[in-house]
Amino acid sequence: MTALPASSVGTARWHARDLVRTIPVIPRNLVLGLLTAYRKVISPMYGDVCAYYPSCSAYAVGAVQQHGAVKGAALSAWRILRCNPWTSGGVDDVRPHDHFRYDLTTHGFVVPSRKD
């Protein structure tokens, strides 16, 4: 298992001249760093045990990327509560944000969109 699902990585790069524009996404990227560490270290110990696709941790990565640290964490918590032995499971993708205005790096972090 890779640290991030394929849908959660992009080709954008962070540029130093975007420092001020990057400040609002710092909490989002801190949570994404924690989720990436979890997916690299702890998640492989459990294997594929999630009833849903993508797994709960992959869902959390997508939710935080699309909706931010607070709403993404709330969506992830709701997903974890629904993931139990009595659920039927299935495909449950993160609903994309209607006005997502950021790009994703190759490591899954969120950076401001560049127009050039």
Side-chain angles (χ1 to χ4, degrees):
M1 174 170 37
T2 61
L4 293 172
S7 62
S8 297
V9 295
T11 58
R13 297 187 137 186
W14 183 81
H15 298 280
R17 60 182 173 255
D18 294 332
L19 181 63
V20 174
R21 292 177 51 215
T22 305
I23 291 173
V25 295
I26 289 174
R28 185 182 304 210
N29 285 330
L30 289 173
V31 173
L32 287 170
L34 292 172
L35 286 169
T36 301
Y38 171 83
R39 289 182 55 84
K40 281 184 180 178
V41 177
I42 297 171
S43 190
M45 291 183 216
Y46 289 107
D48 292 333
V49 295
C50 192
Y52 289 103
Y53 179 84
S55 68
C56 292
S57 60
Y59 182 92
V61 168
V64 170
Q65 285 175 335
Q66 288 290 314
H67 299 285
V70 175
K71 186 174 180 182
L75 289 170
S76 302
W78 178 241
R79 165 72 179 269
I80 290 169
L81 288 173
R82 290 184 289 136
C83 189
N84 57 59
W86 303 280
T87 189
S88 60
V91 176
D92 181 24
D93 290 322
V94 176
R95 180 175 295 165
H97 192 277
D98 293 333
H99 305 290
F100 187 70
R101 60 183 188 266
Y102 301 105
D103 288 329
L104 301 175
T105 66
T106 56
H107 297 289
F109 292 105
V110 178
V111 294
S113 291
R114 299 189 53 87
K115 299 203 183 336
D116 54 8

